[in-house]
Amino acid sequence: MDTSQARHTDGDLTVRKGGAEFIDRLAPLWLALHAHHQSVQPGFAYFPDEDSWELRRDRYRRWILDEGSFVLLAERDGQPVGYAFVQIEEGPDDT
């Protein structure tokens, strides 16, 4: 299902809904979050950036195959500035 045409624009920020075609665009955002985690919680053992992104990308690819899963990608001037990965699961859940 191609959902990349779903779009909402608010000023200079655009949010688009999509699938696997967005995953590789998430790398810089994931790596920024990964760096942030390391800066606020330096005592943990973290994967190197490249390994961290590989693991996360593989997980996103598996999730996107699930029915109903999608990515919301926020862009400003064509550059990704944020995202939400949405995974729909059947049954009761508190989140």
Side-chain angles (χ1 to χ4, degrees), residues 24-65:
D24 287 335
R25 299 204 54 216
L26 307 179
L29 299 170
W30 172 258
L31 293 173
L33 180 61
H34 184 61
H36 172 72
H37 286 167
Q38 293 174 69
S39 73
V40 298
Q41 212 46 302
F44 289 134
Y46 293 94
F47 286 106
D49 284 355
E50 184 176 305
D51 294 339
S52 176
W53 173 240
E54 281 291 321
L55 291 166
R56 179 55 49 168
R57 182 175 56 198
D58 288 347
R59 178 169 289 169
Y60 284 166
R61 285 181 176 158
R62 283 193 313 270
W63 285 347
I64 207 71
L65 295 175

